[in-house]
Amino acid sequence: MERYSRQILFDPIGEKGQEALSQKHVLIIGAGALGTGNAEILARAGVGQITIADRDYVEESNLQRQQLYTEQHALNHVPKAIAAKNRLQEINSSVEIDAHIMDVTPEDMEQLLNGVDLIIDATDNFDIRFMINDVAEKHRIPWIYGGCVSSYGLSYTIIPGKTPCLNCLLQTIPLGGATCDTVGVIAPAVHMVVAYQTAEALKVLTDNHDSLRHKLVYFDLWKNEQSSIDVSQMKQDDCASCGQHPTYPYLSYHNQTKTTVLCGRDTVQIRPPQKVNRNLDELVHFLNRKGGKVEHNPFLVSYSYNDNRMVFFKDGRVLIHGISDIKEAKKLYHQILG
């Protein structure tokens, strides 16, 4: 226990809490700025198992704030989930790290939840957050919402059956339309959100529920502002996600996004209606006959065509870089693949 001696000396955790941490399983959705920060702190804290799911790969623009990644990861287009797993295992080999390269769907969420004690939101869009919210309410699993953009951030801990859910809050609290694509983001804002999320995670995982923050906290580091909102009265009895007769609307097929403009760059993701197991070797052979530049590794194929670049994953997803218009992206997609 010498490794965790300073954490054990913190009385609210102690030896009992440290033992509890070693038995817990955390699911982190997203391996970007928030995901890598949360994963590293929880791995260093000695959480027994961490599952990471992410759809993207490392790019140079990530290195400013996504702390587990290196220039070599960006150069080789390594999927974030794989790069994160390898680095975390170097940090703490006693922690079991499961990595999944996927764009999480409701079906995926159901499969990933086996034995999970806590879900951490490290995503960049509300489609997935609403999905997390519904599946967490359905299975009564606590989850911690987090978001940041520019110098601003916020976080909120949701305990199913006790606190308002995200669907309740968004009927009351406007969150604005700014994204990292339009206004950027600075690393200190990321680290502040991570600090709030991981502090709450340690409370949940060590059964210190009385110490949980029951308010939505938000801040702007550049403007030296910080505040919180008491949201306890915002729980809606008729909420479709956590009310008296929940229907979990965001687990429905019709509420799943098939085409998405990704945050942070001119990129459209196209996901087929059903998952496929794409043969990357055959794809490389197919694309080489079309001309253009083809690069590949065991996880993906990158194809540069005129001013655009397409990145193909095994699960059928395609990222089309250099385009922010969904119609144009679909046109190029069908032009290349038929």
Side-chain angles (χ1 to χ4, degrees), residues 193 203 247:
V193 174
K203 296 173 190 177
T247 58

Side-chain angles (χ1 to χ4, degrees), residues 143-284:
W143 73 284
I144 303 173
Y145 162 60
C148 57
V149 65
S150 184
S151 56
Y152 172 87
L154 70 166
S155 181
Y156 175 58
T157 303
I158 298 173
I159 308 296
K162 295 184 178 180
T163 67
C165 77
L166 187 66
N167 202 6
C168 291
L169 297 190
L170 292 190
Q171 296 178 29
T172 309
I173 301 174
L175 295 177
T179 70
C180 54
D181 188 30
T182 57
V183 297
V185 62
I186 58 173
V190 172
H191 297 316
M192 181 67 80
V193 174
V194 167
Y196 279 117
Q197 286 185 295
T198 51
E200 292 287 279
L202 291 175
K203 296 173 190 177
V204 171
L205 297 172
T206 59
D207 300 316
N208 281 284
H209 289 265
D210 291 342
S211 298
L212 286 171
R213 183 188 64 248
H214 298 292
K215 296 182 178 181
L216 185 150
V217 63
Y218 61 95
F219 62 84
D220 190 321
L221 293 178
W222 209 259
K223 296 180 180 179
N224 305 307
E225 298 173 352
Q226 180 164 330
S227 189
S228 59
I229 302 174
D230 183 352
V231 297
S232 58
Q233 302 302 311
M234 296 180 184
K235 189 171 177 59
Q236 308 291 320
D237 289 339
D238 60 349
C239 176
S241 297
C242 74
Q244 295 181 0
H245 304 286
T247 58
Y248 311 116
Y250 296 98
L251 300 184
S252 166
Y253 175 84
H254 298 291
N255 285 315
Q256 298 176 38
T257 299
K258 302 300 183 297
T259 308
T260 309
V261 180
L262 299 189
C263 173
R265 56 198 189 276
D266 288 336
T267 300
V268 172
Q269 174 181 266
I270 297 178
R271 174 162 52 87
Q274 296 181 344
K275 278 193 173 182
V276 300
N277 186 12
R278 176 173 279 140
N279 186 315
L280 297 185
D281 291 333
E282 291 182 359
L283 179 63
V284 168

Side-chain angles (χ1 to χ4, degrees), residues 78-129:
V78 179
K80 290 182 179 180
I82 300 300
K85 175 181 178 176
N86 293 339
R87 178 61 180 138
L88 292 170
Q89 289 181 327
E90 291 177 342
I91 290 171
N92 192 343
S93 59
S94 67
V95 176
E96 180 180 345
I97 309 293
D98 298 320
H100 299 270
I101 308 169
M102 61 168 58
D103 185 31
V104 177
T105 67
E107 292 77 15
D108 295 323
M109 286 289 294
E110 296 282 353
Q111 295 177 13
L112 293 173
L113 287 179
N114 185 33
V116 166
D117 300 288
L118 175 69
I119 304 171
I120 292 183
D121 161 40
T123 66
D124 61 5
N125 71 84
F126 276 92
D127 290 322
I128 299 179
R129 286 185 178 122

